[in-house]
């Protein structure tokens, strides 16, 4: 077996996964792209293990053992990642990565640390809510 065929296929799979991680906004598709990248690495591990086992007579097939370990870790990672994504979707109503913001971030964009000194910025959420309450009263 030539080493070039699985290496090229692995590079294509890895590049496809990398594009999916960088370009996608849906968290589930990002997780699928990470799995595609891990499978590309697994393909490389097995291909190099087979290629190196032809040169050594007594080999332990460490590439294949590491691949099995990687598959087990990836299964646990995708299970926990999917659980986190589903919990975030239930709480926030979206799995769009760009729309998910931490609750500690402020919306005014002036770089404040979120401390409350008794004065609300004109564009802050607290002053907007107070203005709406005054307008309806």
């Amino acid at each position: 077996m030539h080493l070039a065929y699985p290496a090229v296929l692995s590079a294509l799979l890895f590049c496809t996964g990398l594009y999916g991680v960088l370009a996608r906004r849906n968290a589930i598709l990002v997780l699928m792209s990470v799995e595609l990248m891990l499978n590309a690495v697994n393909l490389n591990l097995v291909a190099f293990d087979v290629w190196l086992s032809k040169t050594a007579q007594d080999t332990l097939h460490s590439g294949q053992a590491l691949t099995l370990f990687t598959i087990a870790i990836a299964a646990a990672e995708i299970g926990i990642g999917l659980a986190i994504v589903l919990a975030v979707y239930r709480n926030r109503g979206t799995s769009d990565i760009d729309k998910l913001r931490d609750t500690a971030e402020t919306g005014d964009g002036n770089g404040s640390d979120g401390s409350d000194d008794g004065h609300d910025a004109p564009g802050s959420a607290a002053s907007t809510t107070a203005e709406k309450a005054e307008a309806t009263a």
Side-chain angles (χ1 to χ4, degrees), residues 101 104-114 121-125:
R101 299 281 184 241
E105 290 183 8
T106 60
D108 56 0
N110 62 1
S112 65
D113 58 354
S124 69

Side-chain angles (χ1 to χ4, degrees), residues 12-129:
L12 289 174
L13 284 174
F14 192 85
C15 289
T16 304
L18 186 64
Y19 172 75
V21 167
L22 296 176
R24 299 291 178 191
R25 293 184 178 165
N26 191 349
I28 295 175
L29 292 177
V30 170
L31 286 174
M32 288 174 59
S33 298
V34 168
E35 287 295 317
L36 194 62
M37 292 168 58
L38 285 173
N39 286 329
V41 171
N42 289 338
L43 179 63
N44 257 343
L45 284 171
V46 171
F48 276 98
D49 183 52
V50 169
W51 183 64
L52 290 174
S53 68
K54 289 182 180 178
T55 59
Q57 297 299 326
D58 297 327
T59 181
L60 296 175
H61 295 291
S62 59
Q64 294 177 14
L66 188 58
T67 297
L68 289 175
F69 180 72
T70 306
I71 290 171
I73 295 297
E77 175 248 337
I78 200 70
I80 292 172
L82 190 59
I84 291 171
V85 168
L86 287 175
V88 167
Y89 181 77
R90 285 182 185 166
N91 288 336
R92 306 270 175 102
T94 183
S95 64
D96 190 2
I97 294 175
D98 291 337
K99 292 182 181 177
L100 298 176
R101 299 281 184 241
D102 193 11
T103 56
E105 290 183 8
T106 60
D108 56 0
N110 62 1
S112 65
D113 58 354
S115 61
D116 189 19
D117 57 356
H119 302 288
D120 291 332
S124 69
S127 65
T128 305
T129 307

